Amino acid sequence: MTHTHNPTSPTATLSVPEPYRDRVRTALSLAAAGVPVLPLRAGKVPFGNCRACTDNACGGRPHMKRAGSCRCPAVCHGWAAATTDSAVLASPAWAGPWREAQALAYHPGGARLTVVDLDNTDAVTWARDALPTTRTVPTTRGEHWIYLGAMRSANAVRPGVDIKSLMSYTRWLGPGTGTMTRLPAAIHALVEREEATPARGEVVSSSGRTEWDRSVATGCRHTERFVRTGLERGLTLVRSHPESGAGSQAFGVAQFLAAQHTACPGPCGLEALGWQVVAAAVSVGVPEPYARRAVTNGLSGTPATGRVS
């Protein structure tokens, strides 16, 4: 895919410094091809909601899981902000985010596509053996395999493998190579298995960590019921932010859990508690590295450096 500058295009008058206009031109080109796009901020995550849209007080975007009423012109609601409307992409409300953007993302499901995100060489090796060939895009650590057809998104359907389609975004890293093929049943089966047989308390992320139990908390002065009640309330809070804010909630929950155990002789199994908070954040779409960072900072008492939802 090539991108050429048209002096009469929306970017000609867009209040964005020249170095960033190439990203907007790419966004407009993708939008013209029917691919909904959005800018990503530092950390390569969506921009946070504006004050009016915080915690979905506005009702959310109409095309989200629960129909909403939001018509906010800003880049709100994470992946749901992705659009093919060139007037929105080049609007004054989006100029600020474009100036701050660190990357470009797209909504695969909105383009009737599914991205199999292979996060490492082992995952790529598995895909070459288990999945039909399709268009591939190199990533920093692995590859994106892109198929025709949309489906439910799911994280960590197997080690190092995420499915990005409906209700998710993925970074635009170029058009890739190869011919896109139809979404195979094997990928549907991965998500159906993940949905149908979740182990109670199992960490969703690829870390493979297990849930907290009394055996890892031999120096904790609290009862098991006390610890589990606090943990479950925290996990519920994190999971209640599927559109935005889950990363910040994960930080706060980790900070709260750590504060509960400051007077314990230890060990209290805080690492195991932390991995369950990470899993909750990943389950609602927070990238695992940022979930880990938020929880690690929360447990250590390090001040939050910004929202990582």
Side-chain angles (χ1 to χ4, degrees):
M1 183 182 296
T2 58
H3 311 286
T4 57
H5 177 47
N6 178 355
T8 63
S9 72
T11 57
T13 57
L14 185 62
S15 179
V16 175
E18 185 61 34
Y20 300 96
R21 291 192 183 183
D22 282 344
R23 188 167 289 145
V24 182
R25 294 184 190 112
T26 301
L28 291 168
S29 179
L30 289 169
V35 179
V37 290
L38 73 155
L40 298 180
R41 58 187 169 93
K44 301 181 180 64
V45 293
F47 284 81
N49 288 351
C50 69
R51 291 183 179 180
C53 296
T54 298
D55 294 331
N56 264 7
C58 60
R61 300 287 194 209
H63 61 286
M64 298 173 76
K65 186 175 182 180
R66 292 178 297 277
S69 57
C70 181
R71 293 293 187 276
C72 177
V75 189
C76 291
H77 306 295
W79 66 268
T83 181
T84 58
D85 189 332
S86 61
V88 172
L89 294 171
S91 69
W94 283 51
W98 282 125
R99 284 193 294 270
E100 300 173 24
Q102 300 296 307
L104 175 65
Y106 66 102
H107 175 212
R112 307 304 298 170
L113 300 173
T114 293
V115 176
V116 180
D117 185 359
L118 306 167
D119 200 38
N120 52 50
T121 55
D122 288 343
V124 172
T125 298
W126 165 82
R128 289 172 180 167
D129 290 337
L131 301 178
T133 57
T134 189
R135 179 171 297 183
T136 62
V137 180
T139 67
T140 303
R141 295 174 297 183
E143 294 178 354
H144 287 170
W145 286 32
I146 307 175
Y147 291 93
L148 293 168
M151 62 178 290
R152 187 177 75 84
S153 299
N155 289 320
V157 294
R158 56 173 292 114
V161 181
D162 296 330
I163 307 299
K164 306 291 183 66
S165 186
L166 300 172
M167 297 183 67
S168 67
Y169 71 92
T170 194
R171 289 173 59 203
W172 171 256
L173 298 172
T177 58
T179 302
M180 278 188 279
T181 57
R182 294 298 305 176
L183 186 61
I187 297 176
H188 282 287
L190 286 172
V191 174
E192 290 167 2
R193 181 178 63 191
E194 185 263 350
E195 183 178 42
T197 59
R200 177 176 171 79
E202 182 179 350
V203 171
V204 179
S205 75
S206 59
S207 63
R209 305 297 178 124
T210 57
E211 68 174 306
W212 182 91
D213 62 38
R214 196 70 207 179
S215 67
V216 299
T218 56
C220 182
R221 64 188 179 89
H222 300 294
T223 65
E224 183 168 353
R225 180 178 180 181
F226 177 91
V227 175
R228 288 192 180 278
T229 298
L231 175 63
E232 287 302 321
R233 288 176 179 174
L235 298 182
T236 298
L237 183 62
V238 173
R239 293 177 186 131
S240 70
H241 289 72
E243 283 79 36
S244 68
S248 296
Q249 294 298 329
F251 170 85
V253 168
Q255 192 175 52
F256 171 77
L257 292 174
Q260 287 184 315
H261 295 272
T262 54
C264 295
C268 295
L270 290 181
E271 183 181 7
L273 292 174
W275 279 111
Q276 289 187 252
V277 179
V278 170
V282 170
S283 74
V284 291
V286 179
E288 186 176 337
Y290 302 104
R292 288 200 308 266
R293 185 180 68 186
V295 171
T296 298
N297 289 344
L299 291 176
S300 66
T302 302
T305 56
R307 295 177 67 177
V308 292
S309 59

